[in-house]
Every structure is written in structure tokens, then in C-alpha cells.
Amino acid sequence: MTKEKHQIEVRASRSALKLYQSLLMGEWKLDTVRQTVALLLALLRSGGVSLSFRWETRSKQHRKIKKVPVPDFASDGFRERLEELNEQADLPDVPQSLPSRRTTENIELAQLSTMCGALLDVQTIVDVRGDDGFLKDVQSLLVATCIHELLPELQAKGLHDEHDLLVNLIARHLVIVWRNEPGQFFFLQGSLLEYLGNRDHAGAALEAAFRATPPDAHEYLTRAQAVWSYFIEEGRLGDAEELALRLVRSVREDDLAEATGLLRDTYGYVHRQASG
Amino acid sequence: MRGSPSPPGTVTGTSRVRLRVRCVPVMSSTIGGDDPAHDLDPDEKDRFERELRKSARELVGRDIRRRRRLLAQANEVSREKSKRAHQK
């Protein structure tokens, strides 16, 4: 028998919305992760709960989250992509236990990564109602800032176990929370795979994100540029050109200058490559 | 805190990874309600997003880490704009 999850109703306060906006528009750094964590904790408190957590040591074998569950209601295309990515998943092992850290800086970083993992895992413990969409928005910001700020910092400071665990928790969070929004799911997954150095699969995920985004969506040009950049950096200039041409034909009038700019840049790269 | 009694309404769950989370009831101190008046000017967001993409374009192949970060930020801003547009 499945145990029914506890239901909470969160509410976004004015100060929470303001903080979210400022984090979204400010320069991202490690402190952005800390503030996003604080925002999520406050949001959960608005639902009448406070999180406390601790890590438990595992006495058995290493366990690796290699595969992400494919939801029953996934479309054929989404299912195909997930199954393909499952075969190619290149996530690090989940550590057997987390070591004690000694320096103040490392302790703070380890605690921060623990909190991030817990906050990305909330939906597996409780059923969130109310402003749950806002909670997801803030979690998305947390995922993005973890990938770009916290994970590199953990790695640089040698906190590899915390790093590997957080990578796995992010991967799982994406499937649990974003499976119904393929555009965002694949974009975040592509970002994670790019970070992990899995260039081929990252490119495939970014392309899937672009394909899942309609031309009239605000994300269209941003996701297109992510794919275009990937093509350029991989030396796939023909694909970059094809994409830029497609954009010129499909973007909104407001975005035409940017799309044309991408096409112009593409020819600049083609010219530089031709002239050696 | 194994062994200690949990406050009424406490929910404890263990994820498949190893994460143990306790949700303890607290008094809410926030004022509810999503107030669109606190949203930023859409034109400002639009400019900011274009600026991020422009900077990212200049970094292609040169500073890949920063380029990715700028596009990730632009994606979050774009998403937020799309959501607002659908709510109207």
C-alpha cells in the first residue's frame, strides 16, 4: 500500500517574490545559491513546515542512480529521449557516506550542498499545493545556480562526495519535477550534462529542449542560441547555419535582428575557418 | 534525531538516495498572495535577457563556462516571462 504524502500549501509572500526577481536579475555567484536556499526554506515555512535533515551512512554497496524513471504518460518522443539518455547516463556514483569536513569553509560548503539536495527532493516527501508553481520556479533557479556555481566550487575545493551526490539529486529532481515540461527538463539536463563534460549527450538534450519550445515562447531564442553555440563550439558550422536560417524564418519580428545577428556570426566563423 | 518523539504533524520521509528529511510544523510568518505589482517591468526583463544573450554570443568558443551561465540565466528570465504572459 502506498503511503499518502503529507500535503502542504505554500504561499509566495511579497518579499519572496521580490527576492526571487532580484536573484533572477542579479549577477549569479555562490551567494545566489545561499539566498535561493533561504528563499525556498521561507517558502516551505509559509506552508507551515520547517525542514531539518541529516545524512545517513550507507553500509551496503555503492548505489548508482543510472536510470531515470520514464513516466507512464510520457509521449513517444519524450519516452524515446529518456530511454536514450538512460542508456547514455554518465552520472558519478552516489558516495557511500559523506566525510566530515574540517575547515570552516568546507563545512559551510558541505552544509550548503546538503541543503540544496534536500530542497530539490521536497516533492518526494510532501505533496505541495498553493503557489507550487512558484516553488518550482525557485527550485529551477536553484538547479541552474548549483550547476553553474556550487558544483564547480565543490569540485575545486575537493568535496567530491558532496559534489557527486548533488549531481545525482539534481538529475533525479529533473525527472520528478520537470517531466511535464520537456523544454525546461531538457534544457536543465543539457546544462548538467555540459557541466559533466558529456558534450554529445548535452548537445542532444539542448536540441531536444529547443525542439520542445514553440517559436512564440520567450525561451525560444535563448534555447536556440544554446544549441547554436554548441554547434559553433563543436565546429558544426553547417548545422549552425541551418539553425540560424531557420530562426530568421521563424522568430517573432522583435527577435529578427538577433536571429540575423546569429546568421551573420555564423558566416563570420565559416569565413575564418575557410581562411585557415 | 532517531529515538526522539516527533512533534505532532511531523512528516518523515527517506528518499531513495539516502536523504532523510523531517518536515516539522511551524507558524507561518508570511503574508500570502502573489502580487503582480511586485513584478519587474517586462521591458526591463526583455532588455536584460537580450543583453545576456548578446554577452553570451561574444563568449562563444572563448569562455564557455561563462557563456553557458549567461544563457542559463537568460533561460530562467525567459521562462518567467512566458509564465507571466500565460497568466495574463
Side-chain angles (χ1 to χ4, degrees):
Chain A
M1 196 171 87
T2 311
K3 191 180 167 187
E4 204 169 300
K5 281 195 278 184
H6 182 64
Q7 203 178 93
I8 64 166
E9 188 158 324
V10 296
R11 285 283 160 224
S13 68
R14 290 177 180 199
S15 58
L17 287 165
K18 266 180 102 168
L19 178 56
Y20 171 65
Q21 296 283 350
S22 71
L23 293 173
L24 207 57
M25 304 282 281
E27 189 189 346
W28 284 3
K29 41 196 174 184
L30 194 56
D31 199 49
T32 314
V33 181
R34 294 189 186 98
Q35 291 191 61
T36 309
V37 163
L39 176 54
L40 280 168
L41 289 172
L43 200 53
L44 290 171
R45 272 199 301 277
S46 77
V49 295
S50 168
L51 289 188
S52 65
F53 42 84
R54 65 184 172 82
W55 296 105
E56 293 183 331
T57 54
R58 176 187 294 278
S59 56
K60 295 181 181 170
Q61 296 293 313
H62 281 247
R63 186 164 157 197
K64 188 171 181 179
I65 304 174
K66 277 185 177 170
K67 297 188 184 302
V68 292
V70 180
D72 295 338
F73 48 85
S75 66
D76 289 346
F78 189 32
R79 177 182 300 276
E80 196 178 313
R81 282 290 304 130
L82 273 179
E83 285 171 353
E84 189 185 325
L85 285 164
N86 270 335
E87 283 172 20
Q88 305 159 345
D90 193 17
L91 301 177
D93 284 333
V94 175
Q96 211 165 7
S97 62
L98 293 176
S100 299
R101 299 299 178 186
R102 294 189 177 172
T103 66
T104 310
E105 189 186 20
N106 283 353
I107 290 169
E108 194 269 331
L109 273 176
Q111 287 175 346
L112 183 62
S113 73
T114 302
M115 293 174 94
C116 290
L119 288 164
L120 294 177
D121 221 30
V122 159
Q123 282 92 339
T124 64
I125 313 289
V126 290
D127 182 10
V128 185
R129 300 289 171 92
D131 291 333
D132 56 323
F134 182 64
L135 182 96
K136 278 175 63 181
D137 290 341
V138 184
Q139 283 180 317
S140 176
L141 179 63
L142 186 64
V143 168
T145 53
C146 277
I147 291 171
H148 295 282
E149 308 301 329
L150 181 57
L151 287 176
E153 188 69 12
L154 290 171
Q155 198 74 296
K157 292 289 183 330
L159 277 68
H160 303 300
D161 289 332
E162 288 85 350
H163 172 274
D164 293 353
L165 185 56
L166 186 55
V167 165
N168 279 278
L169 284 169
I170 289 173
R172 197 159 71 99
H173 164 83
L174 297 185
V175 176
I176 291 168
V177 174
W178 297 103
R179 60 189 174 196
N180 292 330
E181 291 183 46
Q184 182 70 353
F185 169 83
F186 284 122
F187 186 85
L188 291 174
Q189 187 174 55
S191 300
L192 181 64
L193 291 168
E194 274 191 320
Y195 166 74
L196 291 171
N198 195 336
R199 295 285 291 158
D200 289 347
H201 304 143
L206 291 174
E207 280 190 74
F210 171 61
R211 281 199 303 271
T213 308
D216 61 344
H218 288 282
E219 300 95 318
Y220 186 69
L221 200 50
T222 301
R223 290 175 184 166
Q225 191 175 322
V227 180
W228 177 84
S229 306
Y230 167 80
F231 285 153
I232 296 288
E233 284 162 1
E234 291 294 308
R236 291 168 57 179
L237 300 183
D239 290 330
E241 180 188 9
E242 195 179 311
L243 174 62
L245 283 167
R246 179 177 164 182
L247 287 176
V248 170
R249 288 193 300 266
S250 59
V251 292
R252 297 174 303 178
E253 202 178 330
D254 288 355
D255 294 332
L256 191 57
E258 266 191 85
T260 311
L262 287 178
L263 187 60
R264 197 176 48 240
D265 282 5
T266 308
Y267 290 133
Y269 287 109
V270 171
H271 179 71
R272 277 200 288 279
Q273 191 184 56
S275 53
Chain B
M1 298 232 257
R2 191 172 290 172
S4 61
S6 299
T10 297
V11 180
T12 304
T14 307
S15 76
R16 279 167 292 180
V17 184
R18 283 180 307 119
L19 186 63
R20 191 171 174 83
V21 180
R22 298 176 74 223
C23 301
V24 183
V26 293
M27 294 296 289
S28 171
S29 60
T30 52
I31 306 160
D34 186 339
D35 185 352
H38 283 268
D39 194 16
L40 293 176
D41 175 8
D43 291 340
E44 192 185 334
K45 274 188 199 153
D46 204 45
R47 276 194 299 275
F48 181 63
E49 192 190 332
R50 285 185 196 284
E51 204 50 50
L52 287 170
R53 284 198 297 258
K54 187 178 169 211
S55 302
R57 241 169 78 189
E58 289 163 3
L59 295 171
V60 171
R62 295 194 297 133
D63 186 343
I64 296 176
R65 189 182 154 189
R66 200 158 152 240
R67 189 273 293 163
R68 289 175 186 160
R69 181 202 290 157
L70 293 173
L71 285 182
Q73 188 168 5
N75 180 66
E76 291 302 311
V77 177
S78 309
R79 243 195 99 246
E80 206 270 354
K81 277 168 56 191
S82 278
K83 234 180 121 177
R84 291 272 167 198
H86 283 111
Q87 282 169 354
K88 280 175 188 165

